[in-house]
Amino acid sequence: MPNNLKIGDLAKMAGCQVVTIRYYEREGLLPEPARSDGNYRLYTGKHLEQLHFIRHCRSMEMTLEDIRLLLRFRDTPEENCSEVDALLDQHISAVVNRIEQLQSLENQLRDLRGQCRSARAAKDCRILQSLSSETDGQT
């Protein structure tokens, strides 16, 4: 595992930006690094591993609070992980709900698109007319 990495090197190895690393540090997701004599942050392989873990969680749209919980369990391997199971169940439910919303949106857009099959003047565009009538009275 690499040691004594400067923040730019860590960012390159993790495939993220320096500002992201600093943000995760401020949020307490990454442990504070050691400092060099010149006061540069010095990161280790543990930082890189944790950064990969965080980024993987973020790619699955987990919140920072979710990640804190997962890191706590990862760092205490003897604990019962039922909270981790519950967290993933919540995310699965949210994804299912989001898929349903996106499918509904797709159907609405297809219906809207079906109202106009040929080019015409914008004043006669059924799509624009429909969008205008659907927003009348809504704020």
Side-chain angles (χ1 to χ4, degrees), residues 4-45:
N4 296 327
L5 296 168
K6 290 186 179 174
I7 197 167
D9 297 326
L10 179 66
K12 284 178 191 170
M13 293 176 82
C16 69
Q17 296 182 6
V18 167
V19 67
T20 302
I21 295 170
R22 289 187 179 133
Y23 175 72
Y24 290 150
E25 282 180 22
R26 280 193 312 274
E27 290 297 318
L29 295 175
L30 281 175
E32 191 160 327
R35 296 282 183 158
S36 71
D37 292 337
N39 206 29
Y40 288 101
R41 294 175 171 100
L42 298 176
Y43 298 90
T44 66

Side-chain angles (χ1 to χ4, degrees), residues 81-93:
C81 70
S82 61
E83 285 183 69
V84 174
D85 297 339
L87 175 70
L88 267 286
D89 288 342
Q90 287 174 351
H91 276 286
I92 291 167
S93 177

